[in-house]
């Protein structure tokens, strides 16, 4: 595995058409929204879930690419298994040895970090990769649609409806929303968790393709549109991340409500790029 030696900041831009990118369980599963501005939101947890699902699908059977936070997992059981490893049993500091074991075997731990002090203690890990909430470029218009299912679940419901057997429901969507997320990759933390150049390539692959393995009727058409990567030539970096992000401009090019990515223009002010920082568009 190749050690990561450069700090990286990135901008991830994706969109949704006629779907719900991230429902809010505290608001009847309506699309998340900033109440003051009307901008749509997608949580970092939602995006990390999709990365985990992609890695589990693409590399789940390979050594070192298991996923810690996965559906129906019992976390303390997985933590306890680390203490059954022969190297951990023989170690003087079993907590630190268990932490290294978990980083070595679980991709999402060395990538995003984890708290593993809930069972047999395996310590805590600060992940090399951190994401912000994604926020829409423009306010979103949430639409609710009545839907009909031509069936009922029980005989009792059928009797009550006298054979009509139709069930009414509702579905919430965003007609169109373009979302921007900012990410940070610490080479210093990567060296502590074992997050490697190969892990980074898999992470980029996940961001490019994760929506294609996460289709559902609720999410409509979600697509990765831009992945802009700023690479510093040092571990600590050569410029503040916010200054680099300001170089990316997103402008609406239509007079009406946007309904596709072609209604926007994305540009990068490369002339204002700080010294010792390079930029690359992976999408």
């Amino acid at each position: 595995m190749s050690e990561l030696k450069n700090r990286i900041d990135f901008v991830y831009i994706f969109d949704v058409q006629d779907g719900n990118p991230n429902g809010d369980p505290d608001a009847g599963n309506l699309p998340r929204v900033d109440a003051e501005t009307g901008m749509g939101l997608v949580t970092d947890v939602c995006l990390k879930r999709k990365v985990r699902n992609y890695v589990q699908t693409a590399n789940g059977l390979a050594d070192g690419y298991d996923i810690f936070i996965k559906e129906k997992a019992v976390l303390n059981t997985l933590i306890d298994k680390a203490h059954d490893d022969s190297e951990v049993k023989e170690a003087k500091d079993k907590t630190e040895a268990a932490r290294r074991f978990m980083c070595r075997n679980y991709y999402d731990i060395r990538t995003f970090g984890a708290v593993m002090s809930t069972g047999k203690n395996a310590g805590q890990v600060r992940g090399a990769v951190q994401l912000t909430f994604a926020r829409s470029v423009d306010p979103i218009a949430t639409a609710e649609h009545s839907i009909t299912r031509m069936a009922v679940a029980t005989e009792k419901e059928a009797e009550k409806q006298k054979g009509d057997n139709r069930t009414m429901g509702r579905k919430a969507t965003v007609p169109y929303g373009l979302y921007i997320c900012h990410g940070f990759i610490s080479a210093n933390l990567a060296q502590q968790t074992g997050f490697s150049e190969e892990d980074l390539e898999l992470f980029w692959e996940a961001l490019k393709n994760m929506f294609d393995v996460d289709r559902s009727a609720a999410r409509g058409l979600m697509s990765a549109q831009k992945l802009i990567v700023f690479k510093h030539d040092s571990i600590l970096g050569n410029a503040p991340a916010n200054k680099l992000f300001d170089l990316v401009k997103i402008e609406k090019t239509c007079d009406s409500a946007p309904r596709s990515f072609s209604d926007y223009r994305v540009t990068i002010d490369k002339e204002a790029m700080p010294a010792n920082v390079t930029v690359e568009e992976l999408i």
Side-chain angles (χ1 to χ4, degrees):
M1 292 290 184
S2 303
E3 188 177 73
L4 201 66
K5 297 180 180 179
N6 305 82
R7 195 188 102 191
I8 295 171
D9 303 302
F10 63 91
V11 177
Y12 183 54
I13 301 171
F14 62 93
D15 62 1
V16 60
Q17 181 179 334
D18 297 324
N20 185 351
N22 185 200
D24 185 350
D26 290 328
N29 210 43
L30 291 172
R32 295 183 188 272
V33 66
D34 181 332
E36 293 184 330
T37 65
M39 302 296 189
L41 299 173
V42 174
T43 67
D44 61 320
V45 174
C46 174
L47 296 174
K48 289 175 181 177
R49 174 77 273 145
K50 297 182 192 305
V51 171
R52 287 182 170 102
N53 288 348
Y54 180 85
V55 172
Q56 189 174 1
T57 300
N59 284 59
L61 298 178
D63 290 341
Y65 289 91
D66 201 355
I67 296 298
F68 182 58
I69 307 293
K70 58 186 173 185
E71 187 177 0
K72 298 180 180 179
V74 181
L75 302 184
N76 280 3
T77 300
L78 301 178
I79 295 169
D80 293 349
K81 284 182 179 179
H83 284 268
D84 294 332
D85 182 70
S86 58
E87 290 185 14
V88 176
K89 286 182 177 180
E90 295 172 2
K92 185 175 181 180
D93 187 342
K94 290 182 170 51
T95 298
E96 176 58 24
R99 190 192 72 84
R100 290 196 300 268
F101 175 91
M102 298 297 283
C103 285
R104 187 167 60 250
N105 285 279
Y106 293 96
Y107 177 85
D108 58 332
I109 291 179
R110 60 181 181 268
T111 303
F112 301 128
V115 175
M116 301 176 291
S117 54
T118 53
K120 292 181 181 178
N121 196 359
Q124 299 184 20
V125 175
R126 285 181 60 196
V129 180
Q130 298 300 331
L131 303 173
T132 66
F133 275 32
R135 178 176 289 270
S136 66
V137 176
D138 290 305
I140 61 170
T142 299
E144 281 197 271
H145 314 275
S146 295
I147 56 176
T148 306
R149 182 179 68 178
M150 304 302 292
V152 293
T154 66
E155 290 288 348
K156 186 175 181 179
E157 287 181 281
E159 292 174 6
K160 185 177 180 180
Q161 294 188 205
K162 299 180 180 180
D164 186 54
N165 288 14
R166 282 185 291 186
T167 307
M168 301 299 295
R170 299 190 67 76
K171 184 174 184 178
T173 65
V174 174
Y176 183 79
L178 183 66
Y179 290 77
I180 181 169
C181 170
H182 299 107
F184 317 89
I185 302 176
S186 166
N188 180 49
L189 291 175
Q191 291 173 11
Q192 294 178 33
T193 68
F195 184 80
S196 65
E197 289 280 359
E198 291 78 8
D199 289 332
L200 178 61
E201 288 304 313
L202 179 57
F203 179 68
W204 296 145
E205 182 184 322
L207 292 183
K208 293 176 187 178
N209 301 313
M210 63 188 187
F211 294 124
D212 288 319
V213 297
D214 187 57
R215 301 296 182 193
S216 79
R219 282 186 281 278
L221 178 60
M222 293 189 69
S223 307
Q225 297 291 358
K226 287 286 183 181
L227 177 55
I228 302 168
V229 177
F230 297 95
K231 186 175 182 179
H232 303 251
D233 74 350
S234 67
I235 289 179
L236 295 181
N238 305 92
N242 64 300
K243 298 298 183 183
L244 298 176
F245 297 151
D246 287 344
L247 300 178
V248 179
K249 306 294 184 185
I250 304 177
E251 302 172 286
K252 191 171 71 171
T253 59
C254 64
D255 295 327
S256 58
R259 285 296 181 265
S260 72
F261 183 62
S262 62
D263 291 331
Y264 289 92
R265 180 190 300 115
V266 180
T267 58
I268 307 169
D269 186 358
K270 295 183 179 181
E271 292 184 0
M273 191 70 58
N276 301 319
V277 178
T278 58
V279 63
E280 184 179 5
E281 295 183 64
L282 299 186
I283 300 178

